[in-house]
């Protein structure tokens, strides 16, 4: 009996009609991160918890409005991080770190734009609004 790998329709490893490339190798050399079911479940559970806590804070009002708003913002930032890691698979080692570098650059640009815009609007409001003192009118 022969041990021919081509007998009965079996193919040798690597010889399956795609030349030198495997099924997952498309010649790009970039590993696309995939999450396991465990990662998705962890992300889902964390997302539910990070949504339920702010909902509770708004409904029950255990803190002042300022503290509640700050807590909701903090939970929102953590929620964004959970989504990026568990669902978008943005990790520091993904694609050689370029994905995380691009994300950090984007965050820096957005923070500069938002803070600059708020600063300009605040100073325009403070410096350009007319006085409401009737004695100042002509």
């Amino acid at each position: 009996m022969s041990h021919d790998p081509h007998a009965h329709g079996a193919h040798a490893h690597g010889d399956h009609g795609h030349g030198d490339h495997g099924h997952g190798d498309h010649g790009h050399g970039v590993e696309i991160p995939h999450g396991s079911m465990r990662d998705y479940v962890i992300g889902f559970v964390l997302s539910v918890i990070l949504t339920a806590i702010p909902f509770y804070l708004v409904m029950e009002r255990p803190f002042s409005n300022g503290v509640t708003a700050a807590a909701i913002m903090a939970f929102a930032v953590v929620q964004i991080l959970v989504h990026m890691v568990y669902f978008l698979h943005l990790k520091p080692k993904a694609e050689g770190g370029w994905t995380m570098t691009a994300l950090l650059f984007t965050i820096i640009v957005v923070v500069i734009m938002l803070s600059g815009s708020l600063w300009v609007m605040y100073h325009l409001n403070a410096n350009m609004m007319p006085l409401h003192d009737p004695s100042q009118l002509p």
Side-chain angles (χ1 to χ4, degrees), residues 43-87:
F44 176 73
V45 169
L46 288 173
S47 295
V48 169
I49 291 169
L50 292 170
T51 301
I53 293 172
F55 184 79
Y56 166 79
L57 293 175
V58 169
M59 296 304 291
E60 297 298 321
R61 297 194 178 268
F63 306 116
S64 68
N65 288 346
V67 172
T68 300
I72 290 172
M73 294 296 229
F75 280 109
V77 169
V78 174
Q79 179 91 270
I80 290 169
L81 294 174
V82 165
H83 281 257
M84 287 183 351
V85 170
Y86 287 100
F87 298 119

Side-chain angles (χ1 to χ4, degrees), residues 16-63:
H16 41 74
H18 294 286
D20 294 323
H21 301 291
H23 283 290
D25 184 17
H26 295 274
H28 301 293
V30 175
E31 180 182 332
I32 298 174
H34 297 285
S36 66
M37 183 59 124
R38 178 180 177 269
D39 289 338
Y40 287 119
V41 170
I42 290 171
F44 176 73
V45 169
L46 288 173
S47 295
V48 169
I49 291 169
L50 292 170
T51 301
I53 293 172
F55 184 79
Y56 166 79
L57 293 175
V58 169
M59 296 304 291
E60 297 298 321
R61 297 194 178 268
F63 306 116

Side-chain angles (χ1 to χ4, degrees), residues 120-136:
V120 167
M121 287 188 287
Y122 171 77
H123 284 286
L124 281 175
N125 186 39
N127 296 327
M128 300 298 287
M129 292 302 292
L131 297 174
H132 296 291
D133 185 10
S135 67
Q136 298 285 335

Side-chain angles (χ1 to χ4, degrees), residues 61 103 113 119:
R61 297 194 178 268
L103 176 69
M113 288 175 48
W119 180 71

